[in-house]
C-alpha cells in the first residue's frame, strides 16, 4: 500500500511545518487546502515575529496573523498610522518599531488611547522624534510592559524617567543607550529615590546606560541602593563614573554582568573595589580602560574567580598579569585580549596551560605573538572561536593554522 504525505493527519503536518523557516511556512500554506489548514495551526507559528511594511491598507493582514496566533510584530517601515496596528492586533505581545524615524509623539499618542494589557515588549530604538510625552502615554496605558528599548531616543529627559518610574513597575529590562540628556536625577527616579513622586522600577534585571555622558558615581549609588535585583548593567562609554562609584556596586550580590568598556576613569583601584566586595560576576568587560593593568588581573584572580567571560582589549596588561590571573580562573570560557600589545607567546602558553575550558579567545592586534604561541592556543580542547585580525602570518603559516580547526 502506497503512503503519501497527503495521508498524514493535520496534527502531524503541523508538527512538520513547525520545523520550517517563516518563508517556507507561508509557501506550505499555499500548496492546497489541507496544507493551509495544517500550516495555520497556532503551534506552527509559536514564537514567530511578523515583519511588516505598512504601506497600504490590507484588510486580511491582521485577521490572518491572529488566526495563526502571531503576537509579535516588527514594523520595518511605517507609512500608515500606528493605530492601524494596535487596533488590528488585540492581543499583541511584542511591538518592535526600531528605526521608524517618522514615528512622532502624535502618532504614538493616537495609537495608545486605552490600556493594552497584553503588550510585554516595546522597542522604540532610534525613533528620534519620540520625547517624554510618549513616555507618559506608555506609562499610562502599557502598565504590563516588561521590556522597553529606548536606545538612541536622544530627546528623552529625566522627566521621562520619572514617568517610567511612576507607571511601569513591572519593567525588567530598560535600554537607555545614548540618551544623553539623562543625569543622576533620572537614575534616582528609576531606583525609587523619589518615592513621593514615583515608586521606581525596582524589579529591573537589565539596565543599559551606554554612552549616557552626564551620569556620575551618584547614579551608581542610586542603583546599588534601589535596584538590588539587577543582573546586567551596561555602563560602557560613561566617562563620568570613577573608581569610587564601583565601590557602590561591589556589594550587589545579584549582579552577573558588568560592562565598563571605555570608561576612562576606571583604574586598578576600581577593579580592587569590585574584587573585594561580594559580587558573583560571570561577565566583566573593561576593554579600552587605559588605566587597567596587571594589578587588576591579580585582583580579579583573588575576588572574581567565578568569571566565565572577561574582556580586556587594549588594556595595559602583560604576560606577568596573565601569569597572576590564569591559575585561579579555571572556569573561564571567553577571554578577549585583542590589542594588548605587550602579550607575547609566554602569555599564550600560560593561557593554554591553565585555561583548559576556554571556548573563545580574541587576539586581534596582538602583534608580538608568533606561530609558536598560536600553536599552543589551538591545542586547547574546547576552543571554537579564535580572532586573529592584524596578526602577520606567511601563507604557509596560515595553512598550518587553518588545519588546526580554527575559525578566524
Amino acid at each position: 500500500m502506497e503512503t503519501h504525505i497527503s495521508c498524514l493527519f493535520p496534527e502531524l503536518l503541523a508538527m512538520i511545518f513547525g520545523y520550517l523557516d517563516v518563508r517556507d511556512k507561508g509557501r506550505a500554506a499555499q500548496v492546497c487546502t489541507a496544507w493551509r489548514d495544517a500550516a495555520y495551526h497556532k503551534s506552527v507559528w509559536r514564537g514567530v515575529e511578523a515583519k511588516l511594511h505598512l504601506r497600504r491598507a490590507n484588510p486580511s493582514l491582521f485577521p490572518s496573523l491572529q488566526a495563526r496566533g502571531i503576537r509579535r510584530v516588527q514594523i520595518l517601515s511605517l507609512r500608515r498610522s500606528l493605530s492601524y496596528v494596535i487596533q488590528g492586533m488585540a492581543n499583541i505581545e511584542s511591538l518592535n518599531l526600531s528605526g521608524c524615524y517618522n514615528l512622532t509623539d502624535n502618532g504614538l499618542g493616537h495609537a495608545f488611547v486605552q490600556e493594552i494589557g497584553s503588550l510585554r515588549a516595546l522597542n522604540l530604538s532610534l525613533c528620534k522624534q519620540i520625547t517624554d510625552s510618549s513616555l507618559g502615554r506608555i506609562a499610562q496605558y502599557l502598565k504590563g510592559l516588561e521590556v522597553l528599548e529606548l536606545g538612541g531616543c536622544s530627546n528623552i529627559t529625566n522627566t521621562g524617567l520619572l514617568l517610567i518610574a511612576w507607571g511601569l513597575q513591572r519593567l525588567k529590562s530598560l535600554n537607555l543607550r545614548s540618551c544623553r540628556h539623562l543625569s543622576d536625577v533620572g537614575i534616582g527616579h528609576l531606583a525609587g529615590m523619589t518615592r513621593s513622586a514615583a515608586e521606581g522600577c525596582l524589579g529591573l534585571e537589565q539596565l543599559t546606560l551606554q554612552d549616557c555622558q552626564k551620569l556620575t558615581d551618584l547614579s551608581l549609588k542610586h542603583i546599588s541602593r534601589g535596584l538590588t535585583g539587577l543582573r546586567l548593567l551596561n555602563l560602557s562609554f560613561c566617562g563620568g563614573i570613577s573608581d569610587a562609584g564601583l565601590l557602590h556596586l561591589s556589594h550587589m550580590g545579584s549582579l552577573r554582568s558588568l560592562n565598563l568598556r571605555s570608561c576612562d576613569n576606571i583604574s586598578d583601584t576600581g577593579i580592587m573595589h569590585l574584587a573585594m566586595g561580594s559580587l558573583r560576576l560571570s561577565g566583566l568587560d573593561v576593554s579600552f580602560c587605559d588605566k587597567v593593568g596587571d594589578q587588576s588581573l591579580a585582583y580579579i584572580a583573588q575576588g572574581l574567580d567565578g568569571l566565565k567571560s572577561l574582556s580586556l582589549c587594549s588594556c595595559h596588561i602583560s604576560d606577568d598579569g596573565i601569569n597572576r590571573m590564569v591559575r585561579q580562573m579555571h572556569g573561564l570560557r571567553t577571554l578577549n585580549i585583542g590589542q594588548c600589545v605587550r602579550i607575547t607567546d609566554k602569555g599564550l602558553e600560560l593561557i593554554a596551560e591553565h585555561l583548559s575550558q576556554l571556548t573563545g579567545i580574541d587576539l586581534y592586534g596582538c602583534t608580538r605573538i608568533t606561530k609558536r604561541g598560536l600553536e599552543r592556543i589551538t591545542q586547547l580542547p574546547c576552543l571554537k572561536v579564535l580572532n586573529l585580525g592584524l596578526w602577520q602570518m606567511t601563507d604557509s603559516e596560515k595553512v598550518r593554522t587553518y588545519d588546526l580547526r580554527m575559525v578566524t
Side-chain angles (χ1 to χ4, degrees):
M1 180 178 175
E2 227 178 87
T3 305
H4 189 266
I5 192 168
S6 62
C7 301
L8 293 177
F9 289 114
E11 293 82 3
L12 291 176
L13 279 175
M15 288 178 63
I16 294 169
F17 294 158
Y19 290 100
L20 301 178
D21 61 33
V22 174
R23 179 174 295 181
D24 287 339
K25 292 179 199 287
R27 288 171 175 167
Q30 296 173 0
V31 171
C32 63
T33 303
W35 280 34
R36 183 199 62 197
D37 294 343
Y40 268 47
H41 195 280
K42 291 184 178 181
S43 65
V44 175
W45 300 90
R46 187 177 293 120
V48 168
E49 181 179 64
K51 300 179 187 294
L52 307 176
H53 291 278
L54 290 186
R55 293 171 179 165
R56 55 182 178 271
N58 183 351
S60 65
L61 174 59
F62 294 119
S64 173
L65 295 179
Q66 294 207 82
R68 286 175 276 177
I70 293 176
R71 303 178 65 187
R72 303 173 65 236
V73 175
Q74 179 179 7
I75 306 302
L76 300 175
S77 58
L78 188 64
R79 304 278 180 86
R80 295 182 59 80
S81 169
L82 181 59
S83 59
Y84 176 63
V85 180
I86 301 303
Q87 292 169 9
M89 298 285 290
N91 294 314
I92 191 168
E93 187 176 276
S94 172
L95 178 59
N96 186 344
L97 294 160
S98 59
C100 290
Y101 305 110
N102 56 336
L103 180 65
T104 64
D105 290 335
N106 191 41
L108 193 143
H110 284 143
F112 297 154
V113 294
Q114 61 185 17
E115 189 170 341
I116 307 173
S118 61
L119 195 61
R120 294 290 178 266
L122 178 63
N123 189 337
L124 296 173
S125 298
L126 297 176
C127 296
K128 293 181 177 292
Q129 298 188 62
I130 293 300
T131 72
D132 297 338
S133 174
S134 287
L135 296 187
R137 285 277 182 171
I138 291 168
Q140 183 177 1
Y141 294 121
L142 307 182
K143 293 187 179 296
L145 212 59
E146 296 178 357
V147 177
L148 180 58
E149 299 279 338
L150 296 171
C153 295
S154 51
N155 289 317
I156 289 172
T157 72
N158 293 329
T159 300
L161 294 195
L162 177 60
L163 291 166
I164 290 174
W166 166 76
L168 302 181
Q169 269 84 52
R170 297 183 185 178
L171 207 60
K172 294 181 180 178
S173 177
L174 178 60
N175 187 337
L176 298 168
R177 174 181 54 82
S178 299
C179 295
R180 298 190 178 187
H181 293 302
L182 303 182
S183 70
D184 300 330
V185 173
I187 304 305
H189 294 326
L190 291 178
M193 297 295 110
T194 51
R195 290 290 180 90
S196 58
E199 284 294 313
C201 300
L202 307 186
L204 272 176
E205 297 177 3
Q206 299 185 30
L207 179 59
T208 297
L209 299 171
Q210 176 182 338
D211 198 28
C212 292
Q213 297 287 342
K214 291 185 177 181
L215 302 188
T216 72
D217 294 335
L218 181 57
S219 285
L220 305 193
K221 183 178 181 179
H222 291 329
I223 290 169
S224 67
R225 288 186 173 184
L227 304 180
T228 55
L230 206 62
R231 297 180 62 83
L232 181 151
L233 179 60
N234 186 341
L235 296 165
S236 56
F237 298 93
C238 290
I241 66 172
S242 71
D243 294 332
L246 298 191
L247 187 59
H248 296 301
L249 300 182
S250 64
H251 296 289
M252 294 189 68
S254 63
L255 199 61
R256 295 294 178 268
S257 177
L258 179 60
N259 190 335
L260 299 168
R261 190 182 187 91
S262 294
C263 292
D264 297 333
N265 293 316
I266 299 301
S267 71
D268 293 336
T269 302
I271 305 304
M272 177 190 70
H273 292 326
L274 295 178
M276 296 300 106
S278 54
L279 289 174
R280 293 181 292 167
L281 290 179
S282 59
L284 176 64
D285 189 344
V286 290
S287 297
F288 302 99
C289 293
D290 295 338
K291 299 174 183 177
V292 169
D294 287 339
Q295 186 58 50
S296 286
L297 299 191
Y299 292 138
I300 288 171
Q302 292 172 18
L304 299 172
D305 55 349
L307 286 172
K308 304 295 183 186
S309 175
L310 177 60
S311 294
L312 298 155
C313 296
S314 199
C315 291
H316 291 292
I317 61 172
S318 67
D319 297 336
D320 181 57
I322 295 293
N323 184 44
R324 299 164 78 177
M325 178 189 71
V326 292
R327 300 172 194 278
Q328 305 297 325
M329 306 289 292
H330 303 298
L332 201 63
R333 300 289 190 273
T334 302
L335 178 62
N336 297 321
I337 51 175
Q339 300 181 61
C340 294
V341 294
R342 297 168 66 196
I343 300 294
T344 71
D345 291 342
K346 179 182 176 183
L348 298 193
E349 289 168 1
L350 287 164
I351 291 169
E353 180 180 354
H354 295 283
L355 302 182
S356 60
Q357 300 301 309
L358 214 60
T359 60
I361 186 168
D362 178 12
L363 299 173
Y364 175 94
C366 293
T367 53
R368 294 182 64 185
I369 64 174
T370 70
K371 177 184 175 182
R372 187 189 71 178
L374 193 59
E375 287 186 339
R376 286 297 307 275
I377 284 293
T378 56
Q379 292 169 10
L380 282 165
C382 301
L383 198 63
K384 297 177 181 177
V385 178
L386 170 61
N387 183 7
L388 288 177
L390 295 184
W391 189 72
Q392 302 300 316
M393 291 185 287
T394 66
D395 288 341
S396 61
E397 287 175 333
K398 287 179 182 178
V399 171
R400 170 61 178 156
T401 302
Y402 295 153
D403 285 343
L404 292 169
R405 78 188 185 288
M406 297 288 39
V407 177
T408 61

